[in-house]
Amino acid sequence: MTYNTINNDVTMAGEAKGSLGRIDKYELRRELGEGGFGAVYLAHDTVAEVDVAVKGLPPEVKHNAAELESIRKNFALVKRLRHPNIVAVTDLHQAVAVSYTSKDVESKLRVFERDTMVVMDYAPGVTLAHWRRQFPGGKVPPGKAIAVVRQVASALDYAHSRKVLHRDVKPANVMVETTENGTAVARVLDFGLAAEIRSSMGRLSREIRDTSGTRPYMAPEQWKGDRQGPATDQYALAAMFYELVAGEVPFASVFDCGDAAVMRLAVTTDAPKMPPSLPRNMRKALAVALAKKPEDRFASCGDFVAALEGRTIPRGSGWAVLAAAALLAAIAGGGWIYRQHEEVRQREEARRNEEARMAHEAAEAEKRKSREEASAANKRQDEAAAGERAAEFVRMKTRINIKKSNAKQRMDAIAEFRTDPEGLAKRISSADSQWQTIAALAEPLTLEEAKAAFEIASEAESQIASDLDWLQKNKAGRDAAKSARASISTLLNGDAATFKAEKYASDAYQNGKSLLEEGEAAFAKGDFAEAGRLMEQAHAKFANAAKGAKAFFVKTTLGSAQEYFSASQWQSCIAECD
């Protein structure tokens, strides 16, 4: 798979027939795709009789003993991961006997004798980046996006409980298999290994480069080189969910600029703009999961998904600790002063109670004010979003009406060709079908339906324009072909018939007949330029046949021929033949 860090574009390799080579017990079957560190191949384990996926290590890493040992230590942790939503890595295999059927496979896999390669379970399906393209605009409905992200979150939380971080969560590292009942099953690839390999390459290179992660999904602490933890994977998961529902990653315009310094500044300081189409609870959940500080994010990836779904998230023990600390501080600050006289103690206690009551009331008033301000701000934001959606809906309806008007004008122009449909039936039928598609568009009820209708109208209008352009460009060719055919008909009913060209000049006549048949066939298919060319050649052949037959007829049958002509006609004929 070839990945693009902005949109996770994937180029899937084609099927290959037969064996592509063999590495010890692994028989190479076909290329699955190509990633940043080389190609991935489907292989068959001839001992265990199972299909696996294999890929080599970058030359910079596999030829460096220290970095290779670091990867082996990481592999020892990753190998123990067993979860239904994780593609298991089963072996770091050192090749002994290697053979390839072509240089192309050898140059892509790049595993040779004594090299180390990664062996993992084979996960059918497509990458999450490819899977989301089935939805209009690449935007996945929130419910379906949550169903996929929930499975990825379960895999991440499981790995985190075993002290394993992924550090490179992105759509290109998630495989999605659609079952027979339509359920999407997600499995996470490259747990820890890809990030470890990238870190190794960063240590070996003198260039300034990312040491782990893929830029649009990297948390602020990754950009700053700070310590990473489970919250780092949670940030990437949130960025991935954002991309699924919004069709683009957070800070998409910044990542388009290509300037790493500008990207780092945006991710570490700016607040991402939340997709206005999402419900408020989802926007809030995203804001927490994309927080700049790891400690401000959710306690787990599962808690993030629960917040997306609108479920209550337990605060956890941290809040109790803070409350206890506050109480101890209050006790220490206020002091429990011993009073010998009960009256003094009671007055002091009453004073403290009154101060606490007033402080509580002030705090409650501040909370109410904050809630009211937040509610008003959310209301203004919702109203602004609704207004923008309404305006966009009106603009979209206008665009659809323009598409319909353009298509109607072109259909009126196509109508003139219906009186002479030879060779044009297929094109006219295609235009009719596209016009019916536009005409059948119902009045959109939502902005999403309007956008979908606009895409349908655009595609249909484009096809109608193509049909009309083809018809107009080929009108001259059709007329020329018909003119040539009429000239042939006149010739065949004239001298060619009179002097029996079919009999006395059969070779030329038959050549003309064959060319005419080919021209008629081309005309029927709508290839008018070719039909005209063939019919012009046929006309020349028939003309030569008629002239030859006329000469033969006159010179070989003078006696009988003279009976059919007047004296002047006969002399003219003799002169022409001579």
Side-chain angles (χ1 to χ4, degrees):
M1 288 157 270
T2 300
Y3 305 122
N4 178 294
T5 58
I6 298 300
N7 58 21
N8 293 288
D9 200 11
V10 181
T11 303
M12 302 302 295
E15 295 275 346
K17 296 181 179 179
S19 175
L20 301 179
R22 190 181 181 97
I23 302 175
D24 299 332
K25 66 177 180 176
Y26 299 107
E27 182 182 29
L28 304 177
R29 293 291 177 83
R30 63 182 172 89
E31 183 183 348
L32 292 176
E34 191 166 359
F37 302 131
V40 181
Y41 276 80
L42 175 68
H44 185 69
D45 184 335
T46 57
V47 175
E49 290 296 330
V50 295
D51 286 338
V52 297
V54 299
K55 65 179 179 180
L57 296 176
E60 304 97 314
V61 174
K62 68 183 180 183
H63 295 149
N64 186 291
E67 297 301 334
L68 190 58
E69 180 60 26
S70 176
I71 289 173
R72 289 189 184 279
K73 290 180 180 179
N74 182 271
F75 171 77
L77 295 173
V78 174
K79 185 178 181 180
R80 294 198 294 266
L81 297 180
R82 288 293 183 271
H83 188 276
N85 300 115
I86 294 178
V87 178
V89 181
T90 58
D91 193 15
L92 279 180
H93 179 79
Q94 187 173 37
V96 176
V98 181
S99 63
Y100 295 106
T101 59
S102 72
K103 288 290 184 181
D104 180 61
V105 178
E106 178 181 323
S107 65
K108 287 184 177 180
L109 190 55
R110 296 181 297 184
V111 174
F112 306 99
E113 293 180 4
R114 302 184 64 80
D115 280 353
T116 300
M117 72 177 184
V118 180
V119 182
M120 65 197 92
D121 287 348
Y122 168 59
V126 298
T127 65
L128 184 59
H130 184 83
W131 178 79
R132 75 177 178 88
R133 295 180 187 171
Q134 65 182 295
F135 300 97
K139 297 180 182 179
V140 183
K144 292 183 181 293
I146 290 175
V148 170
V149 170
R150 184 189 302 114
Q151 298 174 64
V152 178
S154 175
L156 292 174
D157 285 343
Y158 165 80
H160 296 162
S161 71
R162 284 153 179 77
K163 310 303 180 185
V164 177
L165 301 180
H166 192 290
R167 297 192 294 164
D168 196 17
V169 177
K170 59 184 178 181
N173 277 340
V174 178
M175 295 298 293
V176 179
E177 178 187 12
T178 303
T179 62
E180 293 182 356
N181 63 5
T183 302
V185 178
R187 299 182 180 92
V188 183
L189 295 167
D190 285 344
F191 236 102
L193 279 179
E196 185 64 30
I197 292 170
R198 187 178 281 107
S199 295
S200 293
M201 295 181 71
R203 289 190 291 269
L204 293 171
S205 174
R206 293 183 179 179
E207 299 175 3
I208 298 175
R209 60 191 298 168
D210 305 327
T211 56
S212 68
T214 300
R215 286 175 171 176
Y217 311 95
M218 285 168 53
E221 59 267 26
Q222 283 178 290
W223 282 96
K224 294 188 290 187
D226 292 344
R227 184 179 181 85
Q228 300 175 37
T232 305
D233 285 345
Q234 183 187 141
Y235 181 97
L237 180 67
M240 190 171 73
F241 176 79
Y242 186 111
E243 182 180 16
L244 289 177
V245 297
E248 61 181 12
V249 294
F251 310 109
S253 60
V254 175
F255 286 110
D256 284 340
C257 78
D259 189 324
V262 175
M263 299 176 198
R264 182 182 187 277
L265 182 64
V267 174
T268 56
T269 61
D270 296 346
K273 182 180 179 181
M274 293 299 141
S277 59
L278 288 182
R280 186 183 306 168
N281 68 292
M282 291 188 185
R283 297 198 301 269
K284 290 182 177 180
L286 268 177
V288 173
L290 294 173
K292 303 304 178 187
K293 297 180 180 179
E295 60 269 24
D296 291 338
R297 299 172 199 150
F298 292 100
S300 69
C301 295
D303 285 355
F304 165 50
V305 175
L308 288 175
E309 295 173 330
R311 291 186 280 124
T312 302
I313 308 302
R315 291 279 187 179
S317 59
W319 291 91
V321 172
L322 290 175
L327 178 59
L328 288 174
I331 293 174
W336 290 95
I337 302 173
Y338 176 76
R339 304 291 185 185
Q340 290 182 338
H341 302 289
E342 182 66 18
E343 183 179 350
V344 175
R345 186 192 67 78
Q346 289 178 353
R347 283 200 304 270
E348 184 64 22
E349 183 176 357
R351 182 185 63 79
R352 289 198 301 271
N353 288 339
E354 180 62 17
E355 289 176 350
R357 183 187 66 78
M358 294 175 64
H360 176 74
E361 289 180 353
E364 288 298 316
E366 187 63 28
K367 288 180 182 179
R368 285 195 300 272
K369 181 180 178 182
S370 297
R371 286 195 297 268
E372 290 171 357
E373 290 177 348
S375 176
N378 287 332
K379 183 177 180 181
R380 289 193 298 271
Q381 185 176 5
D382 290 344
E383 289 174 348
E388 177 57 29
R389 288 172 61 83
E392 178 63 16
F393 176 71
V394 172
R395 290 193 294 269
M396 193 59 66
K397 283 185 62 178
T398 302
R399 293 171 188 164
I400 293 173
N401 289 335
I402 291 173
K403 293 290 183 184
K404 284 187 174 182
S405 176
N406 291 342
K408 180 62 169 62
Q409 292 177 7
R410 293 188 176 102
M411 286 301 297
D412 290 343
I414 288 175
E416 68 176 274
F417 293 95
R418 299 180 188 281
T419 59
D420 187 10
E422 293 175 300
L424 307 177
K426 185 176 181 180
R427 280 284 177 172
I428 293 176
S429 175
S430 172
D432 283 339
S433 174
Q434 296 302 325
W435 172 244
Q436 291 301 321
T437 299
I438 291 181
L441 289 176
E443 180 71 15
L445 300 179
T446 67
L447 177 58
E448 287 71 22
E449 290 173 344
K451 290 180 178 178
F454 176 72
E455 291 181 4
I456 293 172
S458 296
E459 182 178 352
E461 183 208 16
S462 176
Q463 183 61 52
I464 292 173
S466 173
D467 289 343
L468 178 58
D469 183 60
W470 186 90
L471 289 170
Q472 292 173 336
K473 286 182 179 179
N474 284 272
K475 184 177 187 303
R478 186 175 84 257
D479 292 344
K482 291 172 67 175
S483 176
R485 184 167 56 185
S487 297
I488 290 173
S489 177
T490 300
L491 181 60
L492 292 180
N493 291 325
D495 286 355
T498 300
F499 296 105
K500 300 181 180 179
E502 185 175 6
K503 177 179 179 183
Y504 294 116
S506 59
D507 288 345
Y509 188 90
Q510 290 303 322
N511 287 340
K513 187 176 181 181
S514 296
L515 288 169
L516 177 59
E517 290 174 352
E518 291 179 20
E520 292 289 1
F523 193 93
K525 291 190 297 184
D527 191 353
F528 302 120
E530 178 67 6
R533 186 184 67 81
L534 290 169
M535 288 179 180
E536 289 290 347
Q537 292 180 3
H539 183 274
K541 292 292 184 182
F542 284 130
N544 288 338
K547 186 174 180 179
K550 184 176 181 180
F552 179 83
F553 185 85
V554 170
K555 291 181 178 180
T556 58
T557 59
L558 292 176
S560 58
Q562 192 170 3
E563 298 174 3
Y564 295 100
F565 297 96
S566 65
S568 61
Q569 289 175 328
W570 175 249
Q571 292 302 320
S572 174
C573 183
I574 291 296
E576 183 177 346
C577 292
D578 289 340

